[in-house]
Amino acid sequence: MFIMLIWGLVVAVWAGRSLAVGCPQPPAPLSFPLADTQVNPRVPGSLMRGIPVRIGTPPQNLVMLPWPDLNNTYIYDDQTACNTKLIDNDEICRVRRGGYYYETESTSFTKTTDVIDAGGAPVEIDTLGSESGIPKLVSSSLAGTDRFAAGDKEPVTIPVGIPRLQWDGGFTISHALGLGPNSTYLNALVAARQIPSRVWSIFWGRMWMGSADMDGAIVLGGYDKEKVIGENFTAQLDYSENMGCWTGMRVIIVDVIANFPHGADVSIMSGNLPVRSCIVPQRQLLWEVPVDIATELRKKAGLVSSSPSMSITAFHALATMLNTTASDSVFDGDLTFVLSSGLRIRVPNNQFIVPRIGYAEDGSRVVDQSQKDLLVYSVTNQQPSTLGRYFLTAAYLMINHEAGTFTMWQGNPSRKSTLVPVSQTSEQCSPESSGDGLGTTDNHTTDDGESGGSSGNNGGQNEPESDPTTETSVSIGTIVGAAVGGAAGLACIVALVMFCLWKRRRQRGPETGGFLPDDGPVAYIDNTGPKEIGSLPPMATELVAEDLRPELNGDFRGYELHGSGPYGGVLNRGGY
């Protein structure tokens, strides 16, 4: 019996080690800043907001924006000019792009026949409202592969498309980091075990506040729980035509409340139907909304448009230019967006009434504090409503491509960071597998945004500061803990049996063929590994936003400018 127990102990220890080798701990999430970054080394003021990245060998520094509706990554070189109706000269174009990529100067760039041949996604999202040039990007772009990295992490080789046409609306013209449902960048990071899953989160930060400005952040493989407050809601990603939202993230706004500083809260949507808005993080404004609601907002807030009322060449193209001399003061209250899920997002005044931002001829940024812009643009009822980047100065957004969902919280502008990994739920770990992405890792908290992974409980509506994923899986730590814990338990049993046998022999005296007593205790193995096996977190209850799907008519792709001169009279969705 004793030999069998010892043999069982050996097998248990071997199994525990095998599981530990076959199922390593998943990687922690990665966090990259969304920050103002100098583009031209010779011009200190040549700033562009985005994710600083490195591409090629030797590395070339660029600034990119995340695109949730693109699967591939598209990077501009100097051969695709900006729209001259919107951008005044080549230097401004270079800065607004986030720098140029010179593929001929990269020894690691490998040219291919097209994006698909480079290993890229064969299809881009092309539903109502998406940019008009997207269907041609895969086939028309110069394509290849190159080494690509953000932050201080090791580069991964990804396919890149280098556009040869003016494909977007012209207002969001930075390099596009594709983070869609078949993102080649996220796929590459998961394959390289740099992130635990195809999940990403975004907080835009705060701008135009001087020394109080705060960088935003993109988290890949999880989210930052320091940046969220209270309840959240989770809804399905839906890219279908009848949803009318090309990013898959549509919310229903049932009210918008003007929060006056003296305490009065005034609805600007009383008598209006709910507005279905598409969340588009790369868009340059707070809200694109039907004309009647935009008019009501200006009326209730006492805002008067200037003449002309809109600039298309400024940094915030399409923003409403305000007449700051028409009244004694400009509205200095906040706006609270009330969603059909019950979530309320309060956007501070200084993130939607901002100074006029432009660019000098050398590409340096010009901030005109004497002029103010309202980051709200009027669209017709046939055009889609969008919530852009400035909505994400107050809301925190997570996209989970593993579960096909998105989750939103009220954002918390904290400079601290605690990353929570969100793991894959579609794969099982075994001694023969590499255990890609299962489980969570320990909390890592910093004050500067450089964080490791952290663990979190599952949660949904009414579960504050929680991990919003609604599926749980046994973590690698649990599997290994179970094996080691089992081995420890077996060791204790062996020790107890040995002690009992020794005790009995001591009482009986020596016997032929038995254990001989000695003057000291019988030694036994003391396994100091994990003694307890943690329980799985409770299954979360997911609240899916109300599913109201309007029938849409017309094709709302891109923007098309009608009219001449620096300001267009009518701006409709279309192409260049």
Side-chain angles (χ1 to χ4, degrees):
M1 177 180 176
F2 173 72
I3 294 176
M4 292 178 64
L5 289 171
I6 292 295
W7 178 246
L9 173 61
V10 172
V11 171
V13 171
W14 174 85
R17 289 179 177 176
S18 297
L19 284 170
V21 172
C23 295
Q25 286 288 338
L30 302 180
S31 180
F32 305 130
L34 267 170
D36 278 341
T37 305
Q38 182 176 334
V39 174
N40 187 339
R42 299 184 300 276
V43 181
S46 59
L47 302 175
M48 191 61 190
R49 185 83 160 186
I51 309 166
V53 304
R54 294 170 285 122
I55 183 171
T57 306
Q60 302 177 34
N61 296 316
L62 302 175
V63 184
M64 304 192 73
L65 287 179
W67 281 64
D69 48 329
L70 290 176
N71 292 317
N72 296 299
T73 290
Y74 296 95
I75 300 177
Y76 291 97
D77 61 9
D78 60 349
Q79 297 185 40
T80 304
C82 294
N83 187 339
T84 56
K85 294 180 180 179
L86 310 175
I87 305 300
D88 293 336
N89 63 39
D90 289 340
E91 280 303 310
I92 298 176
C93 179
R94 177 185 177 185
V95 173
R96 294 290 298 271
R97 293 283 198 217
Y100 288 141
Y101 168 51
Y102 298 97
E103 66 274 8
T104 58
E105 297 181 10
S106 172
T107 59
S108 53
F109 175 75
T110 301
K111 184 179 179 300
T112 59
T113 56
D114 56 29
V115 171
I116 300 174
D117 186 47
V123 176
E124 297 289 8
I125 297 168
D126 181 28
T127 54
L128 295 177
S130 61
E131 302 290 349
S132 61
I134 283 180
K136 299 179 181 178
L137 274 177
V138 172
S139 60
S140 68
S141 296
L142 173 66
T145 61
D146 209 341
R147 292 165 58 80
F148 181 92
D152 59 355
K153 298 301 179 182
E154 286 297 314
V156 292
T157 298
I158 65 169
V160 294
I162 305 171
R164 285 293 177 260
L165 55 84
Q166 294 175 332
W167 61 274
D168 66 2
F171 309 114
T172 309
I173 61 175
S174 298
H175 308 288
L177 180 61
L179 297 177
N182 191 22
S183 167
T184 55
Y185 179 50
L186 293 178
N187 291 343
L189 291 178
V190 169
R193 291 193 54 76
Q194 290 195 25
I195 59 174
S197 60
R198 295 178 306 115
V199 174
W200 64 281
S201 306
I202 179 172
F203 181 67
W204 188 258
R206 299 285 169 88
M207 301 183 71
W208 322 121
M209 299 163 55
S211 60
D213 281 2
M214 190 183 95
D215 289 348
I218 294 283
V219 177
L220 305 183
Y223 73 104
D224 188 344
K225 73 176 184 179
E226 299 289 350
K227 303 293 193 299
V228 305
I229 299 174
E231 300 175 354
N232 62 49
F233 89 93
T234 294
Q236 292 295 316
L237 290 166
D238 190 339
Y239 305 94
S240 61
E241 291 284 352
N242 62 341
M243 177 60 76
C245 179
W246 55 102
T247 66
M249 298 178 287
R250 193 191 68 178
V251 294
I252 300 172
I253 302 169
V254 297
D255 200 1
V256 175
I257 300 170
N259 309 114
F260 286 85
H262 52 74
D265 292 330
V266 179
S267 170
I268 68 167
M269 288 183 60
S270 56
N272 288 285
L273 295 174
V275 175
R276 297 165 178 83
S277 288
C278 189
I279 301 173
V280 190
Q282 68 269 22
R283 295 293 292 171
Q284 74 278 11
L285 302 179
L286 168 65
W287 199 19
E288 297 180 37
V289 65
V291 175
D292 53 345
I293 296 179
T295 301
E296 191 71 8
L297 168 60
R298 293 194 298 271
K299 178 181 176 182
K300 295 287 180 65
L303 298 170
V304 179
S305 300
S306 65
S307 180
S309 62
M310 180 186 69
S311 169
I312 62 171
T313 61
F315 182 73
H316 297 119
L318 309 182
T320 301
M321 301 167 66
L322 298 178
N323 185 341
T324 56
T325 63
S327 60
D328 295 336
S329 61
V330 176
F331 173 67
D332 57 355
D334 300 340
L335 289 178
T336 297
F337 289 78
V338 183
L339 307 185
S340 62
S341 64
L343 187 65
R344 290 173 172 247
I345 303 295
R346 182 161 176 159
V347 183
N349 179 274
N350 54 25
Q351 298 303 294
F352 64 88
I353 297 181
V354 302
R356 183 78 42 77
I357 310 298
Y359 283 87
E361 289 187 359
D362 64 354
S364 59
R365 180 186 289 172
V366 177
V367 180
D368 185 355
Q369 294 286 356
S370 67
Q371 303 293 325
K372 298 294 182 181
D373 287 339
L374 171 67
L375 303 185
V376 175
Y377 172 64
S378 301
V379 297
T380 67
N381 291 330
Q382 286 74 39
Q383 295 172 321
S385 172
T386 65
L387 289 165
R389 64 182 66 163
Y390 285 93
F391 184 68
L392 299 176
T393 65
Y396 191 89
L397 177 66
M398 184 184 82
I399 296 91
N400 185 340
H401 290 309
E402 305 294 352
T405 61
F406 70 98
T407 299
M408 188 183 299
W409 296 261
Q410 169 74 39
N412 178 37
S414 171
R415 298 184 188 276
K416 294 183 178 180
S417 180
T418 301
L419 302 188
V420 177
V422 179
S423 300
Q424 298 183 44
T425 58
S426 59
E427 298 183 21
Q428 297 297 323
C429 186
S430 66
E432 292 78 20
S433 72
S434 61
D436 290 342
L438 284 175
T440 59
T441 54
D442 294 334
N443 287 349
H444 293 265
T445 305
T446 66
D447 292 330
D448 59 3
E450 293 295 330
S451 305
S454 64
S455 60
N457 295 329
N458 284 0
Q461 184 75 26
N462 300 323
E463 296 188 41
E465 296 195 13
S466 57
D467 186 328
T469 53
T470 58
E471 299 181 31
T472 58
S473 58
V474 181
S475 71
I476 297 167
T478 301
I479 295 172
V480 176
V484 178
L490 186 56
C492 292
I493 293 173
V494 172
L496 180 59
V497 170
M498 292 175 65
F499 176 76
C500 291
L501 290 173
W502 173 77
K503 187 72 173 176
R504 187 174 63 180
R505 301 302 186 204
R506 291 277 294 186
Q507 293 173 348
R508 289 184 178 180
E511 294 183 8
T512 303
F515 291 101
L516 294 176
D518 57 23
D519 294 332
V522 175
Y524 63 92
I525 298 173
D526 180 17
N527 190 321
T528 59
K531 298 295 192 300
E532 297 180 359
I533 302 173
S535 61
L536 286 175
M539 186 68 73
T541 300
E542 180 184 90
L543 177 66
V544 178
E546 182 182 3
D547 186 14
L548 299 176
R549 305 182 181 214
E551 292 295 329
L552 299 179
N553 297 313
D555 191 344
F556 311 137
R557 306 168 193 272
Y559 274 100
E560 185 172 5
L561 180 66
H562 296 275
S564 59
Y567 306 103
V570 180
L571 201 64
N572 294 323
R573 288 222 155 181
Y576 276 98

